[in-house]
Every structure is written in C-alpha cells, then in structure tokens.
Amino acid sequence: MTGIRFALERSRGTNATPVRSAIAGAVLAVTVLVMTVTFGASLNALVSHPSLYGWNWDYSILSSFDGAENLPSHQIATFLSQDKDVRAWSACTSRKANSTVRG
C-alpha cells in the first residue's frame, strides 16, 4: 500500500509530476485500444458473413442501376431454370419512369 500511496501522492515544487493526468491518459489509451479491437472484431465478423447485413444470396446479375437496360426476363428465367447448379432464384426489375416537371 505504501508504494501505491507514494506513486499517487502529489508533490510540490521542482519535483512535481503530473501523476493523475498520466494515469488518466493511460486509462484512456487502454480503453480506446479495447474499443478498437472490439469494433474491428465485430466488423470482421459482419463482413465475413454477408447474411448478417441482409445479403442473403450468393450472386447478383445487374445490367444497370437505373433500370434503363434491364435484362430480358424470359431469357434469364429460362437460363436460371435450366442450370443444375441453381437451386432457387428470384427476380427484381425496375422501369425508368418518364416524368417532366413544369414550372
């Protein structure tokens, strides 16, 4: 106990050392380190398992993002239905809406 008391005791004059701020800095550094390692491990687990963030399929076929160049649905359906390696599939298409703003 005496060693801890001497380590934490405030000194005055020319021998003064910032003991409490050094301890607070060390505690903060260890806390940030633990939080960083925890966040990194959680992010690694999330990225390693796409189903955890909603990506519950293996592959995606995209032709464009705005729907202007959709793939022919009947050809894609035939192709995927005949493939023996495809167990199940689903489709989502979109159409580009023509709209004008008058003002």
Side-chain angles (χ1 to χ4, degrees):
M1 295 302 288
T2 304
I4 294 173
R5 186 181 61 187
F6 281 136
L8 298 177
E9 184 177 307
R10 267 199 221 179
S11 57
R12 293 186 170 83
T14 59
N15 294 334
T17 56
V19 175
R20 290 185 181 157
S21 60
I23 290 174
V27 168
L28 181 64
V30 170
T31 302
V32 168
L33 179 68
V34 169
M35 290 173 62
T36 302
V37 169
T38 303
F39 178 78
S42 297
L43 184 62
N44 185 37
L46 184 66
V47 171
S48 300
H49 300 91
S51 61
L52 293 177
Y53 58 86
W55 187 281
N56 57 0
W57 54 85
D58 294 326
Y59 300 102
S60 175
I61 301 173
L62 296 173
S63 62
S64 72
F65 287 107
D66 65 354
E69 303 171 7
N70 278 330
L71 298 170
S73 59
H74 63 283
Q75 291 177 354
I76 295 296
T78 303
F79 175 75
L80 292 174
S81 297
Q82 292 175 353
D83 192 340
K84 63 179 178 158
D85 293 326
V86 176
R87 182 174 30 171
W89 61 273
S90 63
C92 177
T93 59
S94 63
R95 302 205 184 271
K96 190 174 185 179
N98 293 329
S99 61
T100 57
V101 177
R102 297 180 188 190

